[in-house]
Amino acid sequence: MSAKTDKLLSILKLQPVVPVLVIDDAGSAVPLARALVAGGLKAIEITLRTPAALEAIRAVANEVEGAVAGAGTILNAAQFEEAVAAGSQFIVSPGTTQELIDVANDHEVPLLPGAATASEVMGLREEGYDVMKFFPAEQAGGAAYLKSLSSPLAGTMFCPTGGISLANARDYLTLPNVVCVGGSWVAPKDLVVRGDWAGITKLAAEAFALKG
C-alpha cells in the first residue's frame, strides 16, 4: 500500500460519514465547517460546483481547527491544481480520466477517484488505486451491488456517495469493502441559509454515531 493510500485512508477513517457540501456563500464555510467538526465530522468535502468553492476551501483550511478540507467534483487537471493550491488535503472525483490520474501522480495530495462498474474498478487497480469513491451509489445499484463486488474485487475499499442518508447509511457501513460514506444530509441547505449551526452539529453527531 502506497504512502498516498495510507494518507487517504487515515482521512476517510476519521469518521463514518464525510459531509459533501455545495457552498453558495463562502462566508458560511467557516461556521459550517466548525459546526461539522464540533459534531465529530472533521474530514469535509467541498464540491467545486459553485464559484465560491475555492474560497470556501481556503477559508476552512486556514481558519477551522481540526478540519481536514477536501475538494470534490474535480473533473480535470486544472481544477485539481486549483484545489491543491487552495489548501485541499484530499481530492475527490465523480469518475476517472487519464488526465486526472496523471495530475494526481504529480502531487502528494491523495485522489479518491470515482468508479461505478467492475471494469472501472479494475482499471483503477491497474493504476495503483485501492480506495475509490462508488458513485452514484444508490443509482448505480446500491449496497447490494457493492456487496457483490467485495469477493471478486477483494482488497478494494470504497466510499459510496450519492443518494445516501441517515436511513440507509448503515446498509453500506456494514459492508466489508466500505471505509465510510459521503453524504449531503448533514448540512441541509435550509439550515445553512438560516445559520442554524447547532442544528448542523446535531446532525453531524448523529452521523458520527453510526461509527458504533
Side-chain angles (χ1 to χ4, degrees):
M1 191 175 288
S2 70
K4 275 202 282 193
T5 302
D6 280 343
K7 187 185 293 185
L8 181 60
L9 279 173
S10 71
I11 293 169
L12 298 180
K13 286 180 176 177
L14 287 171
Q15 62 220 38
V17 180
V18 175
V20 179
L21 309 182
V22 179
I23 294 180
D24 294 306
D25 174 13
S28 68
V30 166
L32 172 55
R34 284 182 176 145
L36 291 166
V37 171
L41 306 185
K42 295 178 180 179
I44 298 167
E45 176 189 336
I46 297 171
T47 61
L48 259 66
R49 299 182 198 177
T50 68
L54 288 171
E55 188 183 340
I57 291 167
R58 195 172 292 110
V60 171
N62 291 333
E63 299 175 40
V64 183
E65 189 176 347
V68 180
T73 322
I74 298 296
L75 305 179
N76 54 51
Q79 289 181 335
F80 193 111
E81 301 275 9
E82 288 174 336
V84 170
S88 299
Q89 291 180 258
F90 63 102
I91 302 290
V92 185
S93 61
T96 312
T97 64
Q98 193 59 50
E99 181 186 351
L100 274 177
I101 288 170
D102 290 344
V103 72
N105 287 338
D106 292 335
H107 287 276
E108 289 304 308
V109 177
L111 169 67
L112 178 66
T117 67
S119 294
E120 290 170 355
V121 173
M122 289 165 67
L124 281 166
R125 282 166 59 122
E126 286 181 3
E127 295 285 350
Y129 286 88
D130 301 314
V131 186
M132 304 167 201
K133 171 179 177 169
F134 176 55
F135 178 84
E138 282 291 283
Q139 296 80 355
Y145 177 89
L146 203 50
K147 183 179 182 180
S148 71
L149 294 183
S150 63
S151 183
L153 298 172
T156 309
M157 297 298 290
F158 296 94
C159 172
T161 305
I164 298 176
S165 66
L166 191 63
N168 63 4
R170 279 194 192 278
D171 296 343
Y172 290 93
L173 292 168
T174 54
L175 298 178
N177 56 345
V178 169
V179 61
C180 63
V181 301
S184 57
W185 84 87
V186 292
K189 196 164 189 174
D190 60 327
L191 295 192
V192 175
V193 169
R194 291 207 309 268
D196 185 355
W197 311 125
I200 288 171
T201 294
K202 184 172 181 288
L203 291 173
E206 285 175 356
F208 186 77
L210 290 168
K211 201 167 192 170

Tab-separated table of all heavy atoms in Angstrom, residues 146-176:
chain	number	residue	atom	x	y	z
A	146	LEU	N	-22.675	-3.168	-4.336
A	146	LEU	CA	-21.326	-3.012	-3.778
A	146	LEU	C	-20.901	-4.273	-3.030
A	146	LEU	O	-19.738	-4.697	-3.105
A	146	LEU	CB	-21.297	-1.791	-2.843
A	146	LEU	CG	-19.940	-1.137	-2.592
A	146	LEU	CD1	-19.206	-0.848	-3.886
A	146	LEU	CD2	-20.117	0.133	-1.789
A	147	LYS	N	-21.843	-4.890	-2.345
A	147	LYS	CA	-21.551	-6.146	-1.635
A	147	LYS	C	-21.113	-7.230	-2.624
A	147	LYS	O	-20.197	-8.010	-2.346
A	147	LYS	CB	-22.790	-6.605	-0.862
A	147	LYS	CG	-22.561	-7.861	-0.022
A	147	LYS	CD	-23.814	-8.251	0.750
A	147	LYS	CE	-23.563	-9.471	1.615
A	147	LYS	NZ	-24.775	-9.863	2.375
A	148	SER	N	-21.747	-7.250	-3.788
A	148	SER	CA	-21.418	-8.273	-4.783
A	148	SER	C	-20.019	-8.088	-5.364
A	148	SER	O	-19.442	-9.027	-5.910
A	148	SER	CB	-22.457	-8.274	-5.905
A	148	SER	OG	-22.339	-7.122	-6.713
A	149	LEU	N	-19.454	-6.885	-5.232
A	149	LEU	CA	-18.088	-6.636	-5.708
A	149	LEU	C	-17.031	-7.054	-4.689
A	149	LEU	O	-15.858	-7.190	-5.035
A	149	LEU	CB	-17.889	-5.146	-6.020
A	149	LEU	CG	-18.675	-4.521	-7.173
A	149	LEU	CD1	-18.273	-3.060	-7.338
A	149	LEU	CD2	-18.462	-5.279	-8.472
A	150	SER	N	-17.446	-7.264	-3.447
A	150	SER	CA	-16.470	-7.457	-2.367
A	150	SER	C	-15.636	-8.719	-2.514
A	150	SER	O	-14.465	-8.735	-2.145
A	150	SER	CB	-17.163	-7.434	-1.004
A	150	SER	OG	-18.078	-8.496	-0.885
A	151	SER	N	-16.210	-9.773	-3.086
A	151	SER	CA	-15.456	-11.015	-3.232
A	151	SER	C	-14.558	-11.020	-4.469
A	151	SER	O	-13.348	-11.229	-4.352
A	151	SER	CB	-16.405	-12.210	-3.245
A	151	SER	OG	-15.671	-13.416	-3.317
A	152	PRO	N	-15.091	-10.762	-5.685
A	152	PRO	CA	-14.218	-10.774	-6.853
A	152	PRO	C	-13.173	-9.664	-6.861
A	152	PRO	O	-12.112	-9.809	-7.465
A	152	PRO	CB	-15.183	-10.629	-8.038
A	152	PRO	CG	-16.415	-10.030	-7.463
A	152	PRO	CD	-16.501	-10.541	-6.064
A	153	LEU	N	-13.482	-8.536	-6.205
A	153	LEU	CA	-12.550	-7.408	-6.169
A	153	LEU	C	-12.070	-7.170	-4.741
A	153	LEU	O	-11.999	-6.041	-4.266
A	153	LEU	CB	-13.224	-6.157	-6.745
A	153	LEU	CG	-13.654	-6.287	-8.221
A	153	LEU	CD1	-14.476	-5.093	-8.658
A	153	LEU	CD2	-12.439	-6.457	-9.117
A	154	ALA	N	-11.737	-8.266	-4.068
A	154	ALA	CA	-11.267	-8.193	-2.674
A	154	ALA	C	-10.035	-7.311	-2.583
A	154	ALA	O	-9.182	-7.306	-3.473
A	154	ALA	CB	-10.952	-9.595	-2.169
A	155	GLY	N	-9.972	-6.543	-1.491
A	155	GLY	CA	-8.825	-5.657	-1.288
A	155	GLY	C	-9.088	-4.238	-1.738
A	155	GLY	O	-8.286	-3.351	-1.492
A	156	THR	N	-10.237	-4.016	-2.407
A	156	THR	CA	-10.616	-2.665	-2.818
A	156	THR	C	-11.602	-2.102	-1.805
A	156	THR	O	-12.553	-2.770	-1.409
A	156	THR	CB	-11.294	-2.688	-4.204
A	156	THR	OG1	-10.475	-3.403	-5.114
A	156	THR	CG2	-11.508	-1.276	-4.716
A	157	MET	N	-11.354	-0.866	-1.366
A	157	MET	CA	-12.227	-0.210	-0.402
A	157	MET	C	-12.947	0.959	-1.073
A	157	MET	O	-12.402	1.597	-1.976
A	157	MET	CB	-11.426	0.298	0.801
A	157	MET	CG	-10.753	-0.803	1.607
A	157	MET	SD	-11.924	-1.980	2.340
A	157	MET	CE	-12.692	-0.934	3.601
A	158	PHE	N	-14.173	1.217	-0.612
A	158	PHE	CA	-14.995	2.242	-1.238
A	158	PHE	C	-15.545	3.256	-0.232
A	158	PHE	O	-15.786	2.927	0.929
A	158	PHE	CB	-16.185	1.597	-1.957
A	158	PHE	CG	-15.795	0.714	-3.105
A	158	PHE	CD1	-15.629	-0.652	-2.908
A	158	PHE	CD2	-15.597	1.233	-4.370
A	158	PHE	CE1	-15.270	-1.482	-3.960
A	158	PHE	CE2	-15.233	0.415	-5.432
A	158	PHE	CZ	-15.068	-0.950	-5.223
A	159	CYS	N	-15.770	4.468	-0.756
A	159	CYS	CA	-16.554	5.489	-0.060
A	159	CYS	C	-17.761	5.761	-0.952
A	159	CYS	O	-17.676	6.553	-1.897
A	159	CYS	CB	-15.737	6.766	0.136
A	159	CYS	SG	-16.729	8.144	0.780
A	160	PRO	N	-18.888	5.055	-0.715
A	160	PRO	CA	-20.075	5.276	-1.534
A	160	PRO	C	-20.669	6.667	-1.290
A	160	PRO	O	-20.735	7.125	-0.148
A	160	PRO	CB	-21.046	4.192	-1.066
A	160	PRO	CG	-20.264	3.287	-0.181
A	160	PRO	CD	-19.104	4.047	0.318
A	161	THR	N	-21.075	7.322	-2.361
A	161	THR	CA	-21.683	8.650	-2.284
A	161	THR	C	-22.767	8.741	-3.344
A	161	THR	O	-22.589	8.232	-4.444
A	161	THR	CB	-20.618	9.743	-2.539
A	161	THR	OG1	-19.538	9.582	-1.639
A	161	THR	CG2	-21.207	11.127	-2.349
A	162	GLY	N	-23.872	9.394	-2.989
A	162	GLY	CA	-24.957	9.588	-3.952
A	162	GLY	C	-26.220	8.891	-3.499
A	162	GLY	O	-26.312	7.667	-3.563
A	163	GLY	N	-27.172	9.676	-3.002
A	163	GLY	CA	-28.437	9.103	-2.555
A	163	GLY	C	-28.377	8.464	-1.179
A	163	GLY	O	-29.302	7.740	-0.796
A	164	ILE	N	-27.297	8.732	-0.437
A	164	ILE	CA	-27.150	8.123	0.892
A	164	ILE	C	-27.669	9.087	1.953
A	164	ILE	O	-27.452	10.299	1.878
A	164	ILE	CB	-25.688	7.721	1.161
A	164	ILE	CG1	-25.259	6.679	0.121
A	164	ILE	CG2	-25.510	7.172	2.568
A	164	ILE	CD1	-23.825	6.255	0.206
A	165	SER	N	-28.378	8.520	2.940
A	165	SER	CA	-28.975	9.305	4.018
A	165	SER	C	-28.788	8.564	5.328
A	165	SER	O	-28.255	7.447	5.354
A	165	SER	CB	-30.469	9.503	3.749
A	165	SER	OG	-31.138	8.246	3.822
A	166	LEU	N	-29.250	9.176	6.401
A	166	LEU	CA	-29.180	8.521	7.714
A	166	LEU	C	-29.936	7.190	7.675
A	166	LEU	O	-29.545	6.224	8.333
A	166	LEU	CB	-29.777	9.443	8.789
A	166	LEU	CG	-29.561	9.026	10.245
A	166	LEU	CD1	-28.076	9.022	10.615
A	166	LEU	CD2	-30.326	9.949	11.190
A	167	ALA	N	-30.978	7.130	6.838
A	167	ALA	CA	-31.830	5.930	6.782
A	167	ALA	C	-31.132	4.722	6.164
A	167	ALA	O	-31.376	3.587	6.569
A	167	ALA	CB	-33.106	6.235	6.003
A	168	ASN	N	-30.257	4.957	5.190
A	168	ASN	CA	-29.627	3.809	4.520
A	168	ASN	C	-28.110	3.731	4.681
A	168	ASN	O	-27.472	2.826	4.140
A	168	ASN	CB	-29.994	3.793	3.021
A	168	ASN	CG	-29.479	5.006	2.265
A	168	ASN	OD1	-28.779	5.837	2.813
A	168	ASN	ND2	-29.836	5.114	0.991
A	169	ALA	N	-27.522	4.660	5.431
A	169	ALA	CA	-26.060	4.679	5.585
A	169	ALA	C	-25.520	3.382	6.178
A	169	ALA	O	-24.488	2.866	5.742
A	169	ALA	CB	-25.637	5.865	6.447
A	170	ARG	N	-26.234	2.826	7.158
A	170	ARG	CA	-25.757	1.589	7.805
A	170	ARG	C	-25.709	0.411	6.830
A	170	ARG	O	-24.871	-0.484	6.988
A	170	ARG	CB	-26.647	1.224	8.996
A	170	ARG	CG	-26.335	1.997	10.260
A	170	ARG	CD	-27.007	1.362	11.467
A	170	ARG	NE	-26.953	2.237	12.622
A	170	ARG	CZ	-25.909	2.358	13.430
A	170	ARG	NH1	-24.811	1.657	13.192
A	170	ARG	NH2	-25.951	3.163	14.478
A	171	ASP	N	-26.590	0.411	5.824
A	171	ASP	CA	-26.578	-0.663	4.820
A	171	ASP	C	-25.209	-0.737	4.152
A	171	ASP	O	-24.727	-1.823	3.804
A	171	ASP	CB	-27.644	-0.416	3.742
A	171	ASP	CG	-29.062	-0.455	4.303
A	171	ASP	OD1	-29.243	-0.974	5.421
A	171	ASP	OD2	-29.976	0.048	3.628
A	172	TYR	N	-24.601	0.429	3.974
A	172	TYR	CA	-23.281	0.491	3.353
A	172	TYR	C	-22.165	0.268	4.378
A	172	TYR	O	-21.202	-0.456	4.119
A	172	TYR	CB	-23.072	1.858	2.687
A	172	TYR	CG	-23.924	2.084	1.462
A	172	TYR	CD1	-25.167	2.703	1.554
A	172	TYR	CD2	-23.483	1.684	0.204
A	172	TYR	CE1	-25.944	2.920	0.424
A	172	TYR	CE2	-24.254	1.898	-0.933
A	172	TYR	CZ	-25.477	2.517	-0.820
A	172	TYR	OH	-26.245	2.722	-1.936
A	173	LEU	N	-22.299	0.916	5.533
A	173	LEU	CA	-21.219	0.886	6.529
A	173	LEU	C	-20.975	-0.499	7.106
A	173	LEU	O	-19.905	-0.761	7.657
A	173	LEU	CB	-21.518	1.893	7.648
A	173	LEU	CG	-21.447	3.365	7.227
A	173	LEU	CD1	-22.043	4.265	8.297
A	173	LEU	CD2	-20.003	3.774	6.934
A	174	THR	N	-21.938	-1.406	6.986
A	174	THR	CA	-21.745	-2.772	7.489
A	174	THR	C	-21.043	-3.672	6.468
A	174	THR	O	-20.685	-4.805	6.792
A	174	THR	CB	-23.099	-3.415	7.863
A	174	THR	OG1	-23.982	-3.321	6.738
A	174	THR	CG2	-23.731	-2.707	9.055
A	175	LEU	N	-20.829	-3.156	5.248
A	175	LEU	CA	-20.166	-3.956	4.219
A	175	LEU	C	-18.657	-4.019	4.476
A	175	LEU	O	-18.067	-3.031	4.921
A	175	LEU	CB	-20.418	-3.374	2.824
A	175	LEU	CG	-21.875	-3.322	2.350
A	175	LEU	CD1	-21.958	-2.687	0.970
A	175	LEU	CD2	-22.488	-4.716	2.332
A	176	PRO	N	-18.018	-5.153	4.158
A	176	PRO	CA	-16.586	-5.290	4.426
A	176	PRO	C	-15.704	-4.408	3.550
A	176	PRO	O	-14.550	-4.143	3.892
A	176	PRO	CB	-16.310	-6.777	4.148
A	176	PRO	CG	-17.391	-7.188	3.186
A	176	PRO	CD	-18.589	-6.387	3.578
